[in-house]
Amino acid sequence: DSQGIVRLRVKPEPDPCRMAETTYLSHDELDEEVMKPSTNWIAAGEETSESLGKVYLEILKCENLPNMDSGEALGNKTDAFVCAIFEDSMTQTDVIDDKLSPFWLPWTKRAFVFQITHAFSQLFISANDYDVGPGKHDGIGRIAINLNHFKNDVLYTLKYKLYPECNTWDREALGTITIRLRKEIKDEKKFLLASLKPYPRFHINMRSRKSLPVANFTTFGMHNEDHYDVKILRCYVNEMIELKRFFYYAVEDTFKSLILWRGQVKVGDTLLPLHSAIAFFGSIYVIEHPHLLPG
């Protein structure tokens, strides 16, 4: 503009209530606008007698996404959108064309309200590249969020790394996603008792055939554990080898610590071999009183 500030055209559209002010925004203005409260909330699912509470989710932005489209030199870049799945509800944000670090502003389709019907339900979120035509949309990266890690009625702003799968050890992050999240539980006692019930099977209805691969990627990632995959099998074998190594180390370290009377319990600034002393005097007592042994 006349002041030498670089301004970007707002995608997918400016604020209908402030067209002139929000058609073009600078980077600082975008950062400020994206953190404002959402004005367009979408209810995903209806509240029923089985509802335990609600999850309020806002998709704020993604950063450093890889380019999934050809022709980057001509300005053709990833057309990003975010999919969120919770229980039997599936939602999607607006598509932001040709941006590797897209923002979703408060008036866009970015804010969703989900109904909670089970205490252990996870929230699945994925970033995807929108493709026009018969081909499927390309999954970029995903996250799975355990809502039990968050306190009731507390607003969190969270930033996660995006990975194409969660069950492989040699994965690389493909950008980041920033979200705002709040959990609202109506009756915490009822919520706790509901956790004792078996986890139900949820079914999601979709409008188009192209939504199914997006839902599968959001929920399972690039590799579905329910299907045979050599890469996943190799990761499980490596995990078992690591667990075996940790087990042998724990047994060996415990044995050496007891035999060599190493300090195990800190009293003040001194480590005392309390476990070794208990094992030593306990063994002497049992030897002197063999009738205490079973059988």
Side-chain angles (χ1 to χ4, degrees), residues 111-159:
F112 310 99
V113 184
F114 299 96
Q115 298 292 330
I116 304 175
T117 60
H118 197 277
F120 291 140
S121 296
Q122 286 187 309
L123 175 63
F124 301 96
I125 302 175
S126 70
N128 305 267
D129 173 43
Y130 186 88
D131 287 332
V132 179
K136 67 177 184 179
H137 307 310
D138 298 321
I140 300 174
R142 62 181 290 276
I143 57 174
I145 301 176
N146 184 353
L147 298 177
N148 292 321
H149 293 163
F150 305 106
K151 295 182 180 180
N152 184 30
D153 208 21
V154 176
L155 186 63
Y156 295 89
T157 300
L158 308 164
K159 185 175 182 178

Side-chain angles (χ1 to χ4, degrees), residues 39-102:
T39 58
N40 180 25
W41 286 90
I42 299 173
E46 298 181 356
E47 186 173 359
T48 65
S49 58
E50 297 181 354
S51 297
L52 302 172
K54 299 178 181 179
V55 177
Y56 295 86
L57 172 67
E58 296 172 87
I59 308 297
L60 302 182
K61 60 182 177 179
C62 291
E63 296 176 283
N64 302 319
L65 299 178
N67 187 18
M68 308 296 289
D69 294 337
S70 57
E72 182 175 359
L74 301 176
N76 189 23
K77 300 179 182 178
T78 297
D79 304 321
F81 71 94
V82 172
C83 172
I85 293 179
F86 185 77
E87 294 187 356
D88 60 352
S89 299
M90 176 178 175
T91 61
Q92 294 183 9
T93 65
D94 288 321
V95 179
I96 307 298
D97 295 330
D98 301 325
K99 294 287 290 184
L100 301 183
S101 295

Side-chain angles (χ1 to χ4, degrees), residues 6 11 16 47 56 98 102 109 114 148 154 169 178 180 202 207 222 225 259 287 292:
V6 177
K11 296 180 180 182
E47 186 173 359
Y56 295 86
D98 301 325
K109 187 180 176 183
F114 299 96
N148 292 321
V154 176
W169 57 274
T178 302
R180 196 154 53 205
F202 294 105
R207 294 182 178 179
M222 197 70 71
E225 293 185 353
I259 297 300
I287 291 173
L292 297 177

Side-chain angles (χ1 to χ4, degrees), residues 167-170 223-225 227-238:
N167 42 20
T168 57
W169 57 274
D170 56 345
H223 301 281
N224 190 343
E225 293 185 353
H227 301 120
Y228 176 76
D229 193 299
V230 176
K231 186 175 182 179
I232 294 181
L233 181 61
R234 189 184 303 116
C235 292
Y236 286 157
V237 171
N238 290 333

